[in-house]
Amino acid sequence: MKIDAFDKILWLLLSVVLVALALLLWQGAHREGASGKNVASRAMERELTYQARISLLQKIYGPVEELRRKGELQSALLKLDELARTYPGEAHGYILQAEILQQLGVKEAALSNYVAGVRLDGDYIDKNSPLSRRDEISRFVTEAEGTFGGKAAADSSSSTLVAARKDLNYLKSRLAGGCE
């Protein structure tokens, strides 16, 4: 069998295709290594962001924590109110306010502040987050369930008890792993 010009063209095209395929496979392997580096750098970036955020929150809310440690809860609430005007919509302020109100025994207000904080930032419920207050919130929900559960069932006409029960159910749902 004699090889003519047509056969030579076919062999040439086949070799070009094989070279192109080899180049594509090599580039794909090269990109996978780069994407692994990107994943690592994204994880590091996320960790640095968390550390920077925690540092900033400690700097901003440090005076409130200090007043709270001293037992000056009313002064801590006033300082939180001042910070809330400076940093509106910051979830950490709501969480701290809820903890202080809980210490003062004002459970309905503490409940609504916990809900506001968790709605703004779900990291306070996340087990793996450095900002997690999951255990404290879970204990509070267990306490509040005994308080608001019976009252809401007995008096379903009270709008504040109905709202408290709704907030309590929201926190229970988030603690159970639900999302908004």
Side-chain angles (χ1 to χ4, degrees), residues 12 21 40 44 59 64 67 80 88 91-92 94 96 102 106 128 130 148 150 153 162 168-169:
L12 180 67
L21 182 63
M44 185 181 291
K59 180 182 173 190
V64 174
L67 289 169
L80 269 174
H92 196 73
Y94 285 107
L96 282 176
Q102 182 182 355
V106 187
N128 301 324
F148 297 123
V162 170
L168 192 61
N169 286 336

Side-chain angles (χ1 to χ4, degrees), residues 91-135:
H92 196 73
Y94 285 107
I95 298 296
L96 282 176
Q97 189 168 9
E99 290 173 348
I100 293 169
L101 290 170
Q102 182 182 355
Q103 283 180 295
L104 290 171
V106 187
K107 289 185 179 182
E108 286 182 36
L111 179 63
S112 64
N113 277 289
Y114 273 131
V115 168
V118 169
R119 279 200 170 127
L120 286 171
D121 190 353
D123 284 347
Y124 291 98
I125 294 287
D126 185 9
K127 294 176 197 171
N128 301 324
S129 171
L131 296 172
S132 180
R133 300 281 171 95
R134 184 180 185 84
D135 295 335

Side-chain angles (χ1 to χ4, degrees), residues 41-68:
S41 67
R42 276 186 261 143
M44 185 181 291
E45 187 176 309
R46 192 176 323 117
E47 183 64 31
L48 286 173
T49 302
Y50 264 132
Q51 288 176 2
R53 182 169 181 218
I54 289 170
S55 176
L56 179 65
L57 290 174
Q58 287 172 345
K59 180 182 173 190
I60 292 171
Y61 293 102
V64 174
E65 290 286 355
E66 185 62 32
L67 289 169
R68 186 175 166 202

Side-chain angles (χ1 to χ4, degrees), residues 3-174:
I3 297 178
D4 59 356
F6 181 71
D7 291 332
K8 289 179 184 178
I9 291 174
L10 286 178
W11 281 109
L12 180 67
L13 287 175
L14 182 62
S15 61
V16 168
V17 168
L18 288 174
V19 169
L21 182 63
L23 284 173
L24 284 174
L25 289 174
W26 179 77
Q27 282 183 341
H30 183 68
R31 284 186 188 157
E32 286 177 15
S35 70
K37 291 176 186 175
N38 286 341
V39 170
S41 67
R42 276 186 261 143
M44 185 181 291
E45 187 176 309
R46 192 176 323 117
E47 183 64 31
L48 286 173
T49 302
Y50 264 132
Q51 288 176 2
R53 182 169 181 218
I54 289 170
S55 176
L56 179 65
L57 290 174
Q58 287 172 345
K59 180 182 173 190
I60 292 171
Y61 293 102
V64 174
E65 290 286 355
E66 185 62 32
L67 289 169
R68 186 175 166 202
R69 270 191 289 278
K70 290 179 183 176
E72 299 175 21
L73 300 179
Q74 298 295 334
S75 299
L77 284 173
L78 289 172
K79 183 68 176 169
L80 269 174
D81 187 46
E82 178 184 316
L83 289 171
R85 280 185 254 122
T86 307
Y87 303 100
E90 175 55 49
H92 196 73
Y94 285 107
I95 298 296
L96 282 176
Q97 189 168 9
E99 290 173 348
I100 293 169
L101 290 170
Q102 182 182 355
Q103 283 180 295
L104 290 171
V106 187
K107 289 185 179 182
E108 286 182 36
L111 179 63
S112 64
N113 277 289
Y114 273 131
V115 168
V118 169
R119 279 200 170 127
L120 286 171
D121 190 353
D123 284 347
Y124 291 98
I125 294 287
D126 185 9
K127 294 176 197 171
N128 301 324
S129 171
L131 296 172
S132 180
R133 300 281 171 95
R134 184 180 185 84
D135 295 335
E136 294 89 351
I137 294 172
S138 182
R139 277 191 298 262
F140 176 74
V141 165
T142 304
E143 278 179 30
E145 193 167 24
T147 304
F148 297 123
K151 288 181 183 177
D155 184 17
S156 61
S157 63
S158 173
S159 62
T160 56
L161 286 176
V162 170
R165 188 69 188 159
K166 182 180 175 186
D167 287 345
L168 192 61
N169 286 336
Y170 171 78
L171 284 179
K172 283 171 42 179
S173 167
R174 291 301 305 267

